[in-house]
Amino acid sequence: KPLALPGAHVVVTGGSSGIGKCIAIECYKQGAFITLVARNEDKLLQAKKEIEMHSINDKQVVLCISVDVSQDYNQVENVIKQAQEKLGPVDMLVNCAGMAVSGKFEDLEVSTFERLMSINYLGSVYPSRAVITTMKERRVGRIVFVSSQAGQLGLFGFTAYSASKFAIRGLAEALQMEPLETRLISETTSVCKPEQVAKQIVKDAIQGNFNSSLGSDGYMLSALTCGMAPVTSITEGLQQVVTMGLFRTIALFYLGSFDSIVRRCMMQREKSENADKTA
Ligand SMILES: NC(=O)C1=CN([C@@H]2O[C@H](COP(=O)(O)OP(=O)(O)OC[C@H]3O[C@@H](n4cnc5c(N)ncnc54)[C@H](OP(=O)(O)O)[C@@H]3O)[C@@H](O)[C@H]2O)C=CC1
Ligand SMILES: CCCCCCCCCCCCCCCC(=O)[C@@H](N)CO
């Protein structure tokens, strides 16, 4: 069901500039209370002033918090707590803090890989981790992850950046299905023996295959998510082209079954909670 923005508390990391600031303005225009999170205090205050020009009622608040979202989880958790004390539980978190560095793989410093993974990936994990429990308890909330086009395909010069943005996509897809439900869903596929996995990986590496998969569901999944990945043979490319529609159809049934697992778990939990209450 749609989230009502009027009166909602929206936290935007990277909200002092660029896309994050514009998201904050958009939510503020629709009546939300805003917490901006970024490092530089002057930029934060500047953004706060700019956002406040768009107020639609005199109760609206723009709170600024200066913190590095990628350094220390406890610090991030603390500032989220502070924000919740002032503006109530977070209804929507927008993880927009991020940065890009490009260059050829061999020219990029190793520290650049660490930094981009910290800021783009962990910098989305920490704030999300800090709000998720309350959101699940209230059964209200949205967490937005800002990936990139470069988070959906690999691009020349973007080894460090693309990888960090792909990570966000993986996180978002997995988080969508949480949590006990994870076990049931995982049972959908079979666990492979390490020896089999190893054999397949070595075989594919020797042949120079971009992707390596095991079993029929592994094969279908690789074909389905091939996206902009390169092909090693014409046969592989043709197979992908021909099977794409079929595999997507099968995928929709899988998604449906995952959804029903999640729904069943939710109903089960509600039932046992009610039973606890009457007992
Ligand atoms: N612009 C584009 O074309 C595209 C952008 N994106 C993604 O969108 C997001 C926003 O991009 P854009 O608007 O261009 O970025 P900007 O550089 O304009 O803004 C980045 C924001 O993030 C904050 N920030 C950066 N590092 C940290 C940190 N460690 N802790 C807390 N805050 C931090 C910055 O504030 P401060 O430095 O003060 O901390 C600033 O508010 C990024 O994730 C980017 O990868 C994706 C695709 C394309
Ligand atoms: C049907 C298939 C269509 C394929 C279209 C492919 C288009 C690829 C263009 C990708 C450019 C992405 C740059 C992202 C840069 C970014 O995120 C910045 N933050 C970095 O500077």
Side-chain angles (χ1 to χ4, degrees):
K1 103 175 167 290
L3 180 78
L5 272 185
H9 180 190
V10 177
V11 174
V12 186
T13 76
S16 66
S17 153
I19 300 170
K21 185 169 72 181
C22 291
I23 289 175
I25 291 175
E26 187 59 35
C27 294
Y28 196 71
K29 277 183 183 169
Q30 296 190 36
F33 290 60
I34 309 287
T35 298
L36 300 177
V37 180
R39 290 164 304 178
N40 185 297
E41 293 186 20
D42 294 336
K43 263 168 56 188
L44 276 167
L45 286 177
Q46 198 59 44
K48 174 181 155 84
K49 271 191 210 140
E50 193 178 330
I51 295 165
E52 280 170 343
M53 295 194 302
H54 300 273
S55 80
I56 59 165
N57 66 57
D58 49 15
K59 295 198 195 74
Q60 275 180 294
V61 175
V62 179
L63 183 67
C64 293
I65 294 183
S66 166
V67 73
D68 185 331
V69 289
S70 69
Q71 288 307 304
D72 173 19
Y73 175 69
N74 289 322
Q75 217 178 354
V76 174
E77 197 184 56
N78 275 336
V79 300
I80 294 286
K81 269 195 196 132
Q82 280 170 34
Q84 306 218 26
E85 272 158 27
K86 295 210 173 94
L87 300 182
V90 178
D91 296 291
M92 177 152 103
L93 166 67
V94 182
N95 291 297
C96 200
M99 65 175 296
V101 177
S102 59
K104 275 194 279 184
F105 187 50
E106 62 270 33
D107 295 339
L108 290 171
E109 298 285 342
V110 167
S111 63
T112 301
F113 287 82
E114 295 166 351
R115 208 167 75 239
L116 289 192
M117 210 59 185
S118 287
I119 298 179
N120 294 343
Y121 175 61
L122 294 178
S124 297
V125 172
Y126 295 166
S128 305
R129 184 66 180 71
V131 301
I132 192 71
T133 309
T134 312
M135 274 190 185
K136 282 192 177 177
E137 277 168 9
R138 295 174 66 225
R139 293 258 176 84
V140 175
R142 294 280 190 278
I143 299 181
V144 176
F145 296 99
V146 179
S147 179
S148 168
Q149 290 192 355
Q152 299 166 85
L153 68 129
L155 286 174
F156 186 97
F158 280 104
T159 46
Y161 182 75
S162 270
S164 71
K165 291 297 189 177
F166 268 71
I168 290 180
R169 170 68 182 261
L171 170 70
E173 283 193 17
L175 182 56
Q176 180 82 4
M177 301 185 183
E178 293 261 280
L180 164 125
E181 293 76 346
T182 307
R183 212 191 66 232
L184 296 169
I185 289 173
S186 306
E187 285 166 3
T188 305
T189 189
S190 48
V191 177
C192 305
K193 293 219 164 58
E195 294 82 8
Q196 284 179 303
V197 177
K199 227 182 191 167
Q200 191 65 40
I201 288 177
V202 172
K203 191 173 148 202
D204 285 315
I206 291 173
Q207 287 177 355
N209 292 337
F210 179 73
N211 211 321
S212 186
S213 69
L214 214 56
S216 55
D217 43 1
Y219 172 74
M220 287 194 294
L221 199 54
S222 292
L224 183 66
T225 62
C226 63
M228 290 288 283
V231 287
T232 328
S233 68
I234 297 176
T235 328
E236 190 193 355
L238 278 178
Q239 270 175 8
Q240 287 165 348
V241 170
V242 172
T243 56
M244 184 61 78
L246 173 67
F247 286 173
R248 178 61 184 161
T249 311
I250 296 173
L252 292 177
F253 283 101
Y254 272 95
L255 286 174
S257 102
F258 295 159
D259 261 354
S260 93
I261 288 175
V262 173
R263 224 173 309 116
R264 270 207 314 275
C265 287
M266 209 162 103
M267 271 153 51
Q268 201 73 45
R269 219 169 273 144
E270 262 166 24
K271 238 195 245 159
S272 63
E273 269 167 29
N274 286 339
D276 286 349
K277 270 178 212 152
T278 33

